[in-house]
Amino acid sequence: MTIAEKNGDEGFKMGDPYYCSECERTHVKGKIYKEHLKYAQEIIDEEDPESEENLVEKEDFEDEEGLEDEEDFKDEEDFKDEEEFEELEENEELEDEEFLEEKDSEKEDTKEKDLTMQECIERVKTLPGVGEATLVKLVEAGFSSLESIAFTPPSIIQEDSGLGEKTTAKIIQSAMKKLNIGFKSAKEVWNHRKNISRITSGSQELDNLLLGGIETGAVLEFFGEFRTGKTQIMHQLCVNVQLPKEKGGIEGAALYIDTEGTFRPERIIQMSEALDLDHKKVLKNIIYGRAYNSDHQILLVKEATNIIKEKNIKLIVVDSLIGHFRSEYIGRGTLADRQQRINQHLHDLLRLTDIYPDLSICVTNQVQAKPNVFYGNPIQATGGNIIAHGSTIRIYLRKGKGEQRVAKVVDAPHLPVAEAVFSITEDGISD
Ligand code: GTP
Ligand code: MG
């Protein structure tokens, strides 16, 4: 039985308690990141005895009383969003009428990146049919921007927010109208592609293979056998995404969804120091979510929409994408069920890149040898065709000599079929 079933959990409803048997705590849906952030902070602080004052007693948030004590230890910045929620509830300030007139006249384009969370919510509030109660439902379910509403299938909005079918359809339609979504000219598509930014991998060769680095607005899948460097690349990207543009970064934060428990803050410290970065700042800009099972993993991705804007997240890592699904479905359900769940999960990720074009998503995938294949490459990514079709760029990794690794782009129509050799050293990924 999965945790979701144990919790009587068909759809994930924000605000409900969610018991997590592995970390032995009851999370509040919609707040898992905040709770895991504290948890991750503990790991980081253990590594870094200087910041003992930030150490959070685990007992403090094991029960409800502890949760009420949050004020005592929370870092203001980290919990900004909570204040925003509170503001939302009692917001008398929103001058909706004026806003409505002003915004209705102009068609808005997808320039979400210049808006704060509160501004995004205000835009949602201008949609016809969105009153105070509907707005709260939408925001709590993670639909706090016009983009997230316009790009999400109606069934998901309905299920997550509890809104009715007609209301949902109407809201989506108006969000699409406001964003001027419909057919695009090739010029618009080109403008979008021209604005793609890239994060350096740390290796010039690998960057060249990817025409300049890991691109935004896409999902990249790194697949390969064990110890081929998938996790190391993910760590390096979490550091590099924070670099200034002239050094190959995009000045953003990272969200790390760790399904295998292989995230190592000490490795981040090493990599940061090699780049002359303040490792405390770097660690602070990596939001960590440990996914203990596939339900939990799906939930963490769904909740990501709540924090992308406010934490300026430009990179989401899922390491690894399939592991939990693979082990959990061995004695349970059919392969078709599993594929369907993986497919939905992948589409949740792909949708995020539609909503946030300046976001890059990197996932890892184990490979298994297929002994019955006698020609071609006997190695194939687990998850089968669904992963292959859902991901936008796939990079196959294999071992070379010593610390060298070889990367090859597979199935990316706009990238050359070529290989790059890079190394994993003390300092991280390099040529
Ligand atoms: P699985 O998760 O098991 O499928 O493997 P993976 O592809 O994620 O491999 P990972 O990224 O963990 O790579 C492991 C390899 O990275 C090791 O074999 C080492 O060669 C190298 N590595 C990891 N940490 C360090 C380090 O601190 N210093 C150096 N020099 N190399 C490291
Ligand atoms: Mg790994």
Side-chain angles (χ1 to χ4, degrees), residues 226-232 267 270 405 424-426:
F226 67 100
R227 290 166 74 94
T228 46
K230 302 181 292 290
T231 300
Q232 293 300 310
R267 193 65 178 128
Q270 253 180 337
R405 299 290 184 274
I424 310 171
T425 69
E426 253 353 270

Side-chain angles (χ1 to χ4, degrees), residues 230-231 260 262 319:
K230 302 181 292 290
T231 300
E260 300 182 327
T262 48
D319 183 24

Side-chain angles (χ1 to χ4, degrees), residues 101-164:
E101 278 166 29
E102 193 188 306
K103 295 284 173 184
D104 254 0
S105 54
E106 47 175 288
K107 291 270 187 191
E108 302 185 31
D109 57 4
T110 37
K111 270 196 302 190
E112 230 213 9
K113 59 184 161 208
D114 300 325
L115 299 173
T116 64
M117 173 92 154
Q118 194 56 40
E119 284 165 339
C120 289
I121 293 173
E122 286 181 32
R123 289 163 89 208
V124 174
K125 206 181 176 216
T126 65
L127 295 175
V130 176
E132 201 64 46
T134 307
L135 183 67
V136 171
K137 280 185 190 169
L138 284 169
V139 172
E140 284 186 349
F143 304 108
S144 46
S145 65
L146 293 181
E147 287 80 359
S148 62
I149 294 168
F151 290 110
T152 306
S155 58
I156 295 180
I157 298 187
Q158 251 175 275
E159 198 177 298
D160 291 1
S161 67
L163 291 173

